[in-house]
Amino acid sequence: MQDFEFLRPASVDEALQYSRAHPEARLLAGGQSLLAAMRLGLSAPTHLIDLQDIPGLQDIRREGDLLHLGAMVTHARIAASAVVRGFCPMLADLAAGIADAQIRAVGTIGGALANNDPAACWPAGMLALDARFVTDRRTIPADTFFTGLYATALQPGEMLLAVRIPRPDAAHYRKQEQMASRFALVGVAVARFGTGEPSTVRVAITGLGNGVQRWPGAEQRLSAHWSAAQLDGLAWSASAALGDLHASAAYRAHLAQVLCRRCVAVLPAASAVATPEPAASRPSPFRALAMRLEQFLQTLSRSLTR
Ligand SMILES: Cc1cc2nc3c(=O)[nH]c(=O)nc-3n(C[C@H](O)[C@H](O)[C@H](O)COP(=O)(O)OP(=O)(O)OC[C@H]3O[C@@H](n4cnc5c(N)ncnc54)[C@H](O)[C@@H]3O)c2cc1C
């Protein structure tokens, strides 16, 4: 790791001033991707601008039909939040399925989205839910935020402040995990807006190798009629996926279809008015206790580092 200077601003303005003054600086969220990249010599910032003391970036709140998640909200807090679960259980379940407890305790939704790892779960969830990305200069729709492998529409020095997520009538995320890391070999998020037919259905796939993508063929069929059978005969092309040592392109393409079908199968029929919480997604008492403990330890560790 090369030497760097550590900066700990207390406001967004101060962080942006540091960014402008040091063009080779990088924003630091939980460090779960950035510090690994620095250790591998893939990134050598002159300064790290730590965002953890900035008020407001850790907010979770309802804003009418939108859910506001500050960029520094950790996966663990999202998994344990009753506000999040009440708004859209898929978000809490997705967060609970990320990596392990240590990574969930410090990894953030903002860091994960700005990093846009091609196997990460959040990009699929946010693209399916048509989230809006609020930065210090503009609001970016999900369809234009993710621009490729580890690439987003964020400009140098632009800071992601929050994501605002519309409330779906039904949504689900399924992934086939890469066994060692729990990153997605392939992960599929399906969200339905509207309860009648036709409705608006968005399908987003992560893990195919080129960055998160929507699946227009599946969206058209499911928007017309909400049924897993609508996916019969529809396949993701293996030429639109990449293979590596973990899985071939053909296997990944196959998983895209299977996981999409499973998402549709667990969600309520199109005539249902509300989004019932699927029994399988409700945390067991043990899991709920573990999540509360995780949250407590995180708060404790933050106060000790202050
Ligand atoms: C072993 C392992 C397993 C994982 N498994 C999963 C998984 O199953 N699913 C999944 O989705 N993710 C997974 N992750 C990713 C993890 O969830 C982290 O969220 C992700 O690594 C980003 O880390 P971070 O939030 O600490 O951000 P950092 O590492 O601090 O930052 C990441 C990048 O985002 C930039 N950045 C951070 N905050 C902002 C901001 N507010 N505005 C603009 N740019 C910003 C940084 O400059 C940096 O370039 C895994 C990570 C590891 C190490």
Side-chain angles (χ1 to χ4, degrees), residues 26-27 29-34 75 103 108 121 160 175 182-183:
R26 296 292 290 276
L27 300 175
Q32 296 304 291
S33 291
L34 183 53
H75 311 314
I103 289 168
T108 64
C121 306
L160 183 61
K175 68 175 166 179
R182 297 191 79 191
F183 268 115

Side-chain angles (χ1 to χ4, degrees), residues 85-201:
R85 188 164 288 282
F87 181 83
C88 174
M90 178 258 240
L91 294 167
D93 293 336
L94 183 152
I98 288 177
D100 54 41
Q102 273 183 304
I103 289 168
R104 288 197 296 276
V106 281
T108 64
I109 187 164
L113 293 169
N115 198 46
N116 194 17
D117 187 300
C121 306
W122 281 123
M126 293 300 102
L127 188 56
L129 289 170
D130 201 12
R132 291 120 209 217
F133 294 73
V134 183
T135 79
D136 58 295
R137 16 192 126 152
R138 57 193 169 139
T139 298
I140 310 170
D143 282 332
T144 53
F145 184 81
F146 303 105
T147 54
L149 211 61
Y150 294 104
T152 69
L154 291 173
Q155 300 294 316
E158 186 170 9
M159 192 194 301
L160 183 61
L161 302 179
V163 273
R164 295 216 172 102
I165 304 162
R167 187 162 199 238
D169 289 282
H172 195 70
Y173 175 71
R174 276 282 168 103
K175 68 175 166 179
Q176 178 76 24
E177 294 176 357
Q178 198 277 326
M179 302 263 283
S181 68
R182 297 191 79 191
F183 268 115
L185 266 187
V186 170
V188 177
V190 177
R192 194 178 77 230
F193 298 88
T195 51
E197 285 184 347
S199 58
T200 299
V201 175

Side-chain angles (χ1 to χ4, degrees), residues 8-9 13 17 26 71 82 93 110 128 149 159 184 191 247 277 294 296:
R8 201 155 165 173
D13 281 351
Q17 276 169 24
R26 296 292 290 276
D93 293 336
L149 211 61
M159 192 194 301
E277 191 180 319
E294 216 175 297
F296 168 75

